[in-house]
Amino acid sequence: SQTIHQWPATLVQPVGSPLSLECTVEGTSNPNLYWYRQAAGRGLQLLFYSVGIGQISSEVPQNLSASRPQDRQFILSSKKLLLSDSGFYLCAWSRTGNTGELFFGEGSRLTVL
Amino acid sequence: DQQVKQNSPSLSVQEGRISILNCDYTNSMFDYFLWYKKYPAEGPTFLISISSIKDKNEDGRFTVFLNKSAKHLSLHIVPSQPGDSAVYFCAAPGRGGADGLTFGKGTHLIIQP
């Protein structure tokens, strides 16, 4: 069976510090991978998606970046965090091809102070 | 431009009664729609979906109705149970392809004893 894990679960960081959130998927090959953010009152916003190693598409201009160094690993990064980067970050995967059902990780709560 | 809209941020329903969550969309080309359920500090989990060629899909206590002429879908939960208290997201394919799902802002369902 397929599983998805992301870490850390919670993170408190000062403004201007770097960020690295990691996500791995097991039990499947060549998944589509996604980073979403849930901010208060704004639902789930798609930040990045990837259809393969090294292939990253960004949905919104922002202070964050994503990388996919391995087939089942997806990383969300920032060089310098802003207060507005606070939120609940969710990694997700779907099967190869057109997006169907998304399978989400447990989420990472980021608080920037 | 939000393509999927949930206009009720919250809904309170008595245990045992029917819960009806609503969702409107703007893109008549969507092939399918999904409902996700989310508990605090957890990732969303898939609940039920409906193809655009159908007008109803039922799974146990959960039924989704699709009204294509009105560009409206609704999720019915009957009877409502305390464990149904969660945030419910309506979702549809982004632009097609592998670019993820587009979500509504969610409706917080509260089941009162």
Side-chain angles (χ1 to χ4, degrees):
Chain A
S1 63
Q2 301 88 6
T3 57
I4 178 170
H5 297 290
Q6 60 177 109
W7 68 93
T10 57
L11 200 58
V12 180
Q13 293 285 101
V15 169
S17 64
L19 171 74
S20 180
L21 299 179
E22 294 195 33
C23 172
T24 59
V25 180
E26 297 176 359
T28 187
S29 298
N30 197 29
N32 299 327
L33 296 173
Y34 307 87
W35 279 110
Y36 280 84
R37 176 171 59 200
Q38 183 186 16
R42 300 193 63 182
L44 298 174
Q45 182 185 33
L46 178 63
L47 302 176
F48 301 96
Y49 70 94
S50 170
V51 298
I53 296 174
Q55 300 179 62
I56 308 295
S57 296
S58 174
E59 286 296 296
V60 293
Q62 59 199 305
N63 184 43
L64 302 168
S65 62
S67 62
R68 185 170 178 173
Q70 299 181 43
D71 180 44
R72 290 169 292 172
Q73 183 184 25
F74 207 24
I75 298 172
L76 184 69
S77 305
S78 173
K79 292 182 179 178
K80 289 185 178 181
L81 285 168
L82 305 172
L83 287 174
S84 58
D85 291 324
S86 293
F88 192 60
Y89 289 84
L90 290 154
C91 183
W93 72 275
S94 70
R95 293 184 171 84
T96 303
N98 293 346
T99 306
E101 180 183 343
L102 286 181
F103 303 89
F104 285 89
E106 309 95 329
S108 299
R109 168 71 61 189
L110 171 65
T111 303
V112 182
L113 301 175
Chain B
D1 177 32
Q2 197 173 14
Q3 297 192 75
V4 178
K5 299 179 182 179
Q6 295 176 257
N7 294 317
S8 299
S10 66
L11 175 67
S12 185
V13 175
Q14 264 196 315
E15 182 178 355
R17 300 289 184 102
I18 183 171
S19 296
I20 300 176
L21 297 101
N22 294 304
C23 178
D24 297 299
Y25 60 94
T26 57
N27 187 350
S28 58
M29 301 300 291
F30 285 143
D31 291 330
Y32 56 91
F33 302 88
L34 309 92
W35 284 94
Y36 278 79
K37 177 180 180 179
K38 185 183 181 300
Y39 293 118
E42 294 184 10
T45 55
F46 169 75
L47 189 58
I48 191 170
S49 64
I50 187 167
S51 166
S52 62
I53 63 173
K54 295 187 174 182
D55 55 18
K56 177 183 175 181
N57 187 28
E58 187 174 355
D59 183 3
R61 296 186 298 114
F62 303 91
T63 303
V64 57
F65 295 92
L66 176 60
N67 183 336
K68 288 186 285 293
S69 62
K71 295 182 183 175
H72 176 85
L73 64 155
S74 59
L75 173 67
H76 293 213
I77 306 173
V78 57
S80 300
Q81 299 175 353
D84 296 330
S85 295
V87 177
Y88 291 79
F89 291 97
C90 175
R95 293 183 293 266
D99 60 346
L101 299 174
T102 185
F103 288 85
K105 291 186 178 182
T107 297
H108 185 193
L109 176 64
I110 302 164
I111 304 302
Q112 295 182 334

